[in-house]
Amino acid sequence: SLVEVVVSWNLPMHAWLKKYVFKQTKKSLGAGMAILATYGASTLLHGLSAQIAAVLFSLGLYTWVEHKFRSKLAKIMDASIETRRDSEGRYKNREGAAWVILVNLGFGLLAMFHLAYLGVMFGNSQESSSGYSWSHTLSKWRTLDFTSHYIVAAFFLISWVL
């Protein structure tokens, strides 16, 4: 899942952001604002580049939507298909069931698609090392018809209906 990628990408930074930004913000403002604040802090720590900000805030939105959608779907289907591994054995349909493996594989492939889409922003040019502008970032996504963003929007709407 994208959540696992984000958590595993930089474990010390994840632990620091979770302890000092996410948990503190969640106490007073809720989970949605905590995610926004966490990715905002990460953007600042990465140098406040428009390119990095667009990717990180998109990633924050993607992980939040994925978490909400998969949590609801896991409860409905009584299956281990949440964003994080079910170590407590709460679900009737466990990770070893063929259809659960296929569902998790599908989400894994979708995560790879999203990461490739977001990664298109980064290149080997001189401008890339200092960070592209908002217009360049949006222009790149526009050439891809904002496909990944629309997929996330669809998952958000489905999750809202569930």
Side-chain angles (χ1 to χ4, degrees):
S1 75
L2 281 173
V3 172
E4 288 289 349
V5 171
V6 168
V7 168
S8 301
W9 192 266
N10 184 336
L11 291 173
M13 185 55 67
H14 166 75
W16 188 87
L17 287 167
K18 184 175 181 178
K19 181 177 182 179
Y20 294 106
V21 181
F22 182 80
K23 286 185 177 181
Q24 299 302 314
T25 307
K26 186 178 177 184
K27 285 179 192 174
S28 56
L29 300 175
M33 288 306 294
I35 291 169
L36 186 65
T38 302
Y39 281 91
S42 184
T43 298
L44 289 172
L45 293 169
H46 278 88
L48 200 57
S49 151
Q51 167 194 12
I52 293 285
V55 169
L56 288 175
F57 282 117
S58 292
L59 196 55
L61 174 67
Y62 288 16
T63 56
W64 180 73
V65 169
E66 180 191 34
H67 174 73
K68 291 289 187 189
F69 179 79
R70 289 180 72 169
S71 292
K72 288 181 178 184
L73 198 60
K75 287 181 180 102
I76 291 167
M77 300 177 81
D78 197 14
S80 183
I81 55 175
E82 289 191 78
T83 53
R84 304 296 299 268
R85 182 172 218 136
D86 176 30
S87 58
E88 299 170 8
R90 295 176 290 163
Y91 298 106
K92 176 183 160 193
N93 299 296
R94 305 266 171 92
E95 292 173 357
W99 73 270
V100 172
I101 291 170
L102 288 173
V103 169
N104 283 321
L105 177 64
F107 281 119
L109 292 172
L110 185 60
M112 286 191 286
F113 167 77
H114 288 314
L115 290 170
Y117 172 88
L118 293 172
V120 161
M121 296 302 109
F122 304 97
N124 293 329
S125 71
Q126 182 64 27
E127 187 183 12
S128 176
S129 62
S130 62
Y132 293 114
S133 66
W134 282 103
S135 61
H136 177 270
T137 303
L138 293 174
S139 163
K140 284 281 235 184
W141 282 339
R142 191 174 298 113
T143 62
L144 299 170
D145 298 321
F146 294 96
T147 306
S148 183
H149 287 90
Y150 285 128
I151 290 170
V152 170
F155 274 90
F156 173 77
L157 291 174
I158 293 167
S159 179
W160 183 66
V161 170
L162 294 176

